[in-house]
Every structure is written in C-alpha cells, then in structure tokens.
Amino acid sequence: MAFEKVCNLEDVSEGEALQIEAFEEAIAVYNVGGQIFATQDRCTHGDWSLADGFLEDGVIECTLHWGKFCVRTGRVKAPPACDPLTIYPVEVRGGEIFVDYEAGKVGE
Ligand code: FES
C-alpha cells in the first residue's frame, strides 16, 4: 500500500468532485456528506471527465451522455455507461487526502 497525498480536504467541498492529475491516469476525488471517495476520472463510456459531472447522493452523473456511477463501489447506476469505474482506497489524515493509486480495482 502506497498512499500519496493528492489534495487537502478543504479543496473538495461537500457535494463536489475534484480532478487530480497526480498519477498515470487522472482520478476524481468526491466529497459525499464529508466522506471522501476516489475513482478514475475518465468516464468508462467515453473520454470525459467525471469530476465535471453532477454529484448527488454518492452518484456521479457524466455530463456528456448522462451515464451515472456510484462513487463508493464504481457500479454503473444509469446507461449508456455499462462498465464500472476503477475505485481507489482513500485515507483522510489531518485535513489531507491520500489515495493509494496502485491499489485501485475495478468496481462491482
Ligand atoms: Fe460518460 Fe458517455 S462519456 S456517459
């Protein structure tokens, strides 16, 4: 496990998502009611940033074709997307957000 700092907690407001370009592929970090989650940033349906989407009740909606994904599990919640997102372990320590990029796994 190799957690790396990606941003500060204050950088991601509740109900918001933030694109992070610290790794081989961009990730998106989400604040769901104070809980932090991380997934791949690129939608599995097309080349589009999920961090630019709408986050509601832990579901991110892609703004290109309106596919939806659960940010906790990576599971597809609405078509046209059909492949789940890769999700990453997250730790919050002292107001800083850390992600283990290498431990990412394809969601359910
Ligand atoms: Fe995201 Fe099509 S690119 S739903």
Side-chain angles (χ1 to χ4, degrees):
M1 298 285 247
F3 282 92
E4 293 181 46
K5 181 185 173 185
V6 294
C7 61
N8 294 316
L9 189 55
E10 65 190 19
D11 297 332
V12 196
S13 306
E14 279 198 30
E16 299 290 329
L18 179 68
Q19 185 191 57
I20 305 283
E21 297 195 53
F23 305 107
E24 195 176 320
E25 289 196 26
I27 67 169
V29 172
Y30 311 90
N31 185 333
V32 179
Q35 276 195 290
I36 305 299
F37 300 94
T39 72
Q40 68 184 74
D41 182 52
R42 190 174 63 81
C43 181
T44 58
H45 180 251
D47 190 12
W48 203 254
S49 170
L50 291 174
D52 290 338
F54 300 112
L55 181 63
E56 190 174 350
D57 295 333
V59 173
I60 188 71
E61 183 175 35
C62 177
T63 54
L64 190 56
H65 307 114
W66 314 112
K68 295 182 182 179
F69 303 88
C70 173
V71 303
R72 293 179 176 86
T73 64
R75 183 178 299 157
V76 174
K77 300 294 276 185
C82 53
D83 293 322
L85 298 173
T86 295
I87 55 177
Y88 300 95
V90 173
E91 284 186 3
V92 179
R93 301 179 213 144
E96 299 179 326
I97 298 172
F98 296 79
V99 169
D100 187 342
Y101 182 77
E102 290 171 10
K105 61 176 186 185
V106 177
E108 299 167 10

